[in-house]
Amino acid sequence: MDGWDRPSVTSDVSVTTRWGRTSLPDMNPMTSPNQETSPVPDRATIRPECLPESVWPYPLDSLRVGDHRLIFTDTGGPGPVLLFVHVGLWCLMWRDVIGRLTDRYRCITLDVPGSGLSDRTSRQNQTLDSAAQAIGTLIDRLDLRGITLVVHDLGGLATFAAVRPRLSRVAAVAAVNTFGWKPRGLMLPLALRLFGSAAMRELDAFTGLLPLGSSSRLGVGRRWSRQTRQAWRAGLRDRSSRRLPHRLFRDAARNKRIHELADASLTELADRPLMTVFGKYGDYFCFQRQWRRRHTDVHSVVVPGGFHFPMCDNPDLVAARLHEWHAARVREAR
């Protein structure tokens, strides 16, 4: 057993209040023999050996999504809700930005099933639909309202699809190197199909090139210690987690349902405040231009010297700009 094996943990039926808000036990009818009288609880604290508090100094909680356990973090004070979402890799990438915002905001992030600390899934469940279901379930179980969505990479498509029936809960969007529409043109569809190909998937599964490359200074690891980079790679240690992002890339290229849901959400959210965050060298597919075409009033932030993970390249700048924009535009709009 290594530090990432997770024992099955359950607790007595209970409701726990933290920071003046309520965490509810699992009410999923798929796992409850009697929906009215026998809710099945699934709230636990998980702390793997190779994710010490010095690396992730926030609580870890769980809930059941279908047959899988989803691990999430809910931290900070009773302020506005920021929901940080990336799907494919895992939530350690948000650590430094969250740490700079918890004194003013309630910060929530998750590992969708198949990634990070959450349960591994079958090949059939490694889809954007499954990720969207997990995101929607978390929003519903925590009864989140007035949410600012902070989404990165394929977290954009999955989250915008997830909130389609929950648009009244969304206050604003911060798009971090992401998109939320059907891939068009030549380069983006080609890239998604290339990185979603079986050859790329199996090469990464057996060599671990993605964990190694993504933990470098060009990935999440520019400002990280050796210990944190090791923890990042440990979260992508098993072959199933390495295959997941490649299957999601493939799904992003062809999942018409997700495209339609995400696009419809963005149309309805056009009146909400929008902020985009990109690294100077990270907008390979001209997403910023497309965001400006879709939204009449975009607050754009470009991180000098930044690449694909601008929140890791300069967390001070990203957190500061996010707070300034939220205080000036989001709270004012509400």
Side-chain angles (χ1 to χ4, degrees):
M1 175 182 293
D2 65 27
W4 292 87
D5 291 332
R6 296 170 294 278
S8 177
V9 181
T10 58
S11 61
D12 295 334
V13 177
S14 63
V15 176
T16 303
T17 302
R18 300 160 62 199
W19 304 304
R21 56 184 182 272
T22 303
S23 294
L24 298 177
D26 191 303
M27 299 294 290
N28 188 341
M30 295 180 64
T31 58
S32 175
N34 186 323
Q35 298 180 34
E36 296 182 357
T37 61
S38 302
V40 178
D42 188 61
R43 186 175 185 278
T45 297
I46 315 294
R47 177 66 62 175
E49 292 178 5
C50 42
L51 190 69
E53 291 189 10
S54 59
V55 173
W56 187 258
Y58 314 120
L60 295 168
D61 297 293
S62 74
L63 59 81
R64 185 68 58 177
V65 179
D67 295 329
H68 301 100
R69 188 172 57 185
L70 177 149
I71 304 300
F72 68 96
T73 282
D74 184 354
T75 189
V81 175
L82 304 180
L83 178 61
F84 297 84
V85 183
H86 168 97
V87 302
L89 299 175
W90 66 296
C91 66
L92 183 56
M93 68 177 65
W94 298 112
R95 182 196 66 176
D96 298 332
V97 167
I98 287 176
R100 289 158 171 80
L101 293 168
T102 51
D103 59 334
R104 300 183 181 97
Y105 299 90
R106 178 183 177 187
C107 298
I108 301 169
T109 190
L110 73 156
D111 289 329
V112 299
S115 69
L117 301 181
S118 292
D119 286 350
R120 298 300 178 250
T121 61
S122 66
R123 174 180 178 179
Q124 292 73 22
N125 287 319
Q126 292 186 341
T127 65
L128 289 171
D129 296 275
S130 296
Q133 179 193 13
I135 296 162
T137 299
L138 181 69
I139 291 172
D140 292 342
R141 300 283 176 84
L142 298 184
D143 193 25
L144 303 180
R145 300 177 186 275
I147 310 167
T148 295
L149 304 175
V150 188
V151 291
H152 176 260
D153 202 285
L154 295 184
L157 273 178
T159 304
F160 297 139
V163 301
R164 182 69 185 97
R166 305 171 176 87
L167 293 174
S168 63
R169 296 173 178 261
V170 179
V173 175
V176 184
N177 203 348
T178 190
F179 67 103
W181 48 81
K182 180 181 178 180
R184 294 181 175 87
L186 175 64
M187 295 305 297
L188 180 58
L190 181 63
L192 291 172
R193 286 179 169 82
L194 173 62
F195 287 102
S197 67
M200 291 292 289
R201 182 185 70 233
E202 295 308 311
L203 176 65
D204 191 29
F206 282 88
T207 64
L209 290 176
L210 180 61
L212 184 63
S214 63
S215 66
S216 71
R217 290 178 58 83
L218 298 180
V220 297
R222 176 177 293 191
R223 297 174 179 269
W224 283 359
S225 67
R226 179 181 179 183
Q227 182 187 37
T228 304
R229 290 195 297 270
Q230 289 175 336
W232 172 264
R233 292 192 291 268
L236 298 164
R237 177 178 297 164
D238 60 281
R239 291 178 180 175
S240 177
S241 66
R242 296 176 190 174
R243 289 185 172 104
L244 175 65
H246 297 284
R247 291 199 169 110
L248 294 179
F249 287 140
R250 183 170 182 264
D251 199 35
R254 64 178 191 169
N255 192 324
K256 294 181 179 179
R257 177 178 178 273
I258 289 291
H259 298 159
E260 291 171 357
L261 288 171
D263 192 83
S265 290
L266 287 183
T267 299
E268 294 294 327
L269 293 172
D271 62 336
R272 319 291 164 89
L274 171 67
M275 170 179 168
T276 62
V277 182
F278 286 83
K280 182 178 180 180
Y281 305 112
D283 191 9
Y284 322 113
F285 305 110
C286 301
F287 288 153
Q288 293 174 90
R289 183 188 308 165
Q290 296 178 66
W291 279 112
R292 288 192 292 268
R293 288 175 180 171
R294 299 183 63 94
H295 205 285
T296 57
D297 187 12
V298 181
H299 180 73
S300 299
V301 175
V302 176
V303 176
F307 291 94
H308 184 67
F309 301 93
M311 65 286 200
C312 299
D313 293 324
N314 195 332
D316 288 316
L317 175 65
V318 173
R321 296 295 178 267
L322 182 58
H323 170 62
E324 292 166 3
W325 165 76
H326 197 283
R329 300 295 306 279
V330 182
R331 298 187 193 187
E332 178 182 89
R334 296 177 64 188

